[in-house]
Amino acid sequence: MRSLKILGRSSLSASEDDSNLAIAQIKMFSKQIPIMYTMVVVNTIALAYTHVALTPAWLGIYIPAVLVSISALRTFLYWRVGKIGISAQQARQQLRQTIVLAGVLGSVFSFWALALFPYGTAQTQGHVAFFSGVTCLGIMVCLMHLRVAAFVLAVAAVGPTAIYLIFLGPSESVAVGFNLVIVSVAVLCILSRHSRHFGELISNQKELKDTLLRAHKLGKENELLANTDSLTGLANRRRFMSELDQRLSNAAGRDERFAVGILDLDGFKPVNDIYGHIAGDRLLIEVGRRLSELDSGTFIARLGGDEFGLILTGDLSDTDLQSTGDRICEMIGKPFELDSFTANIGGTLGLAQYPDAGTTAKDLFEHSDYLLYVAKERSRGKAILFSEKHRSEIQETTGIKRCLQEADLEKELSVNFQFVVDSITGVPVGAEALARWTSPTLGIVSPDSFIKNAEQVGMINEITEILLRKSLDEALKWPGDLFVSFNLSAHDIGSSRHIEKICDIVKNSELPAERLTFEITETSLLLDLERANSTLHRLKGLGSKVALDDFGTGYSSLSYVQKLPIDRLKIDRSFISDLEENRASQAVVKTILDLCGNLGLDCIVEGVETAAQLAALRDLGHMKVQGYFFSKPLPGYDALTYLKMLPVSSWDASLSA
Ligand code: C2E
Ligand code: CA
Ligand code: CA
């Protein structure tokens, strides 16, 4: 092989190390070699035919017969390679064989042709010279993809023929000999360049293929990243939505059911706030891991924050689905043992079934989101299934939202006032402003419904500003120095720009800011405690007070009392409804009253409906009270009349009744 190496890298690579080039060369050969041998066979038979009568049989019949058979065999071998393919190693071996055979067969053919020379006439000698020249050149062209083989053939076949014609043949053949040498050299030069280009082409092709492969791999990696939640390794929201689309198109037209679930963690935020973000992240990873233990047909994704998306497949009946949902909530409700502490959280799950709850991704997703919202309010820590009741609720809220957006808020919004009285004297000390919306289409809509819808459509800030202005204007008309208590929503507290507007309204009102109390609920503090704290300080900076509403219903009411600048607690009416007979409720109310006494906080008991409740409260201490027993929320004018007209002694009268 050393001699071959001298002939150049690109040719050599075929037999040495460049597998791609070797395979490409064999591929080309599998098409060219059969043509080459056909040419050789035809020329050989033609030459033998013109000499068969002039030469002995071994020269005119047997040798050409053997040569033709070998040629046929080689043709067959190459044709087969073209059909079944070949490994790189086999390709290199075959190329080596081709080079050797180019030398061996080339010289055998040319010696056979030259052996015919002395037997013939000038005419047949011309045929021999023509046969040798044309056949050699033809073969060289066919071997163009393997430069070495073409060179070897030139040396083994053209060489002896040319030498014979120049030095040993008749004088007329000298010119033919030289001609053959010159043409062969020219052909070799061209082939050499062509062969080099072919090598470069194959290596460029390989580079291109590698680049494409790398790009494809990179694309796959990017796709994976774009579809994966980096914290939990679960699918992300984007992937969830595309999976949902996919499932929908698979299920279309078939009698298939599946369910979309949104799971929201209860109590995740306190873990994050108290133990830090790293602990929060660990908890989310563990939740993801626990969910992944669900059966393999369940698709799980993290939609963001502490929200997970599920697609549950299988022909699940509503009962099956409910029990699967309950099982998932139970699973999340079990304690999570993290590095330094145990996290006790819960999971609330909204499940919307295809096709009953919706037939589009948007409907199913929105409906399970709605269910989650409902479940968070009514049944935390549980799974809730979509039903017709929810559909009409959604229709109702959609109607409310639409009407809100079209409403003339200045005109349609009003404020009612419910008095807060002293539990001993029965004298009104203030009043809570309660929003009322009279829609020309829907009639009177309760604040419980329209406030949350206004929050969802981003109109609450505007509504709060209108209501606050109206409340302050009314309160200004009241005799004495009664306070007015105004409710803020979570969305009011969350926006610092809006809080500045609220401050401006208070400053622009003639009512002293000291007579204004802002009521906030625990849920409004859940979003961002730090921001809530600075907002409350900002409001207190005006001189106003802050009351914590619905006290005792949340998870961590007490911690808010400790962390935030609160002046007043409003004990939720749920503790009052059974106060006379329920000793636990009495104990809770008494404890809160003592707490307020110790911390110097003001206290209002809400929802007092009966004289008996008031009597029971009076036994527990002195406080402020509010409820239907004293008055329902009244429109501004009525409240003013009530204040002016109603003698304080009448409450005492109803007490003794
Ligand atoms: P809330 O702040 O707890 O207001 C007290 C609610 O209890 C009022 O309902 C009131 O009418 C009702 N109530 C008062 N006394 C009794 C009683 O003795 N028994 C019973 N069963 N209920 C009583 P309302 O006016 O329907 O308001 C409901 C909720 O809507 C309010 O609860 C408050 O969270 C929200 N809200 C009302 N006005 C506004 C407002 O201007 N802004 C904001 N953000 N929320 C408001
Ligand atoms: Ca309130
Ligand atoms: Ca309340």
Side-chain angles (χ1 to χ4, degrees), residues 432 487 519 521 549-551 570-573 606:
E432 179 177 2
N487 292 284
E519 293 192 12
T521 57
D549 204 357
D550 305 339
F551 188 78
K570 292 190 79 173
I571 302 178
D572 190 71
R573 66 166 178 267
E606 284 190 291

Side-chain angles (χ1 to χ4, degrees), residues 29 49 60 83 149 173 189 226 250 309 397 400 585 601 622:
F29 278 158
Y49 179 75
K83 279 261 167 240
S173 66
C189 287
N250 288 350
T397 56
I400 291 178
S585 295
L601 300 177
H622 182 202

Side-chain angles (χ1 to χ4, degrees), residues 281-296:
D281 285 355
R282 285 267 300 119
L283 180 55
L284 289 173
I285 294 169
E286 286 308 317
V287 170
R289 197 166 292 161
R290 232 177 242 189
L291 289 175
S292 305
E293 285 165 12
L294 289 167
D295 75 86
S296 55

Side-chain angles (χ1 to χ4, degrees), residues 235-450:
N236 60 12
R237 177 180 282 265
R238 180 190 147 119
R239 172 83 179 80
F240 181 80
M241 292 316 275
S242 67
E243 180 70 23
L244 185 53
D245 282 336
Q246 185 63 49
R247 304 259 173 142
L248 278 168
S249 61
N250 288 350
R254 293 192 221 164
D255 189 21
E256 243 178 61
R257 276 166 65 90
F258 65 87
V260 172
I262 302 182
L263 175 84
D264 191 279
L265 303 184
D266 306 319
F268 171 75
K269 198 168 182 312
V271 172
N272 224 17
D273 287 347
I274 297 165
Y275 298 99
H277 288 280
I278 295 175
D281 285 355
R282 285 267 300 119
L283 180 55
L284 289 173
I285 294 169
E286 286 308 317
V287 170
R289 197 166 292 161
R290 232 177 242 189
L291 289 175
S292 305
E293 285 165 12
L294 289 167
D295 75 86
S296 55
T298 308
F299 182 83
I300 299 146
R302 180 172 166 233
L303 303 176
D306 59 348
E307 216 173 75
F308 293 82
L310 296 107
I311 303 177
L312 298 133
T313 33
D315 233 356
L316 297 165
S317 67
D318 281 0
T319 324
D320 293 341
L321 201 57
Q322 182 67 56
S323 59
T324 307
D326 291 344
R327 196 159 50 85
I328 294 171
C329 292
E330 266 169 37
M331 201 166 90
I332 301 301
K334 289 194 183 130
F336 285 87
E337 301 294 340
L338 301 179
D339 295 340
S340 53
F341 69 102
T342 304
N344 285 299
I345 56 163
T348 304
L349 177 63
L351 286 166
Q353 325 76 314
Y354 170 89
D356 309 351
T359 49
T360 65
K362 185 171 168 282
D363 276 0
L364 288 169
F365 194 78
E366 279 179 7
H367 287 174
S368 41
D369 200 38
Y370 173 78
L371 287 174
L372 187 65
Y373 174 79
V374 168
K376 281 270 177 191
E377 285 203 328
R378 301 177 202 163
S379 50
R380 264 169 190 267
K382 298 217 168 75
I384 171 167
L385 249 64
F386 191 83
S387 66
E388 283 313 305
K389 181 186 87 186
H390 297 118
R391 194 183 296 284
S392 51
E393 275 174 16
I394 289 176
Q395 274 161 3
E396 192 189 312
T397 56
T398 315
I400 291 178
K401 282 176 189 162
R402 205 182 40 246
C403 289
L404 261 180
Q405 281 160 330
E406 291 163 2
D408 177 352
L409 292 173
E410 256 327 312
K411 201 169 126 205
E412 294 170 27
L413 283 176
S414 62
V415 189
N416 275 8
F417 294 93
Q418 187 179 36
F419 291 108
V420 175
V421 303
D422 183 291
S423 66
I424 308 269
T425 64
V427 177
V429 288
E432 179 177 2
L434 294 160
R436 295 294 177 261
W437 175 35
T438 314
S439 154
T441 324
L442 305 169
I444 295 174
V445 187
S446 90
D448 274 332
S449 332
F450 81 81

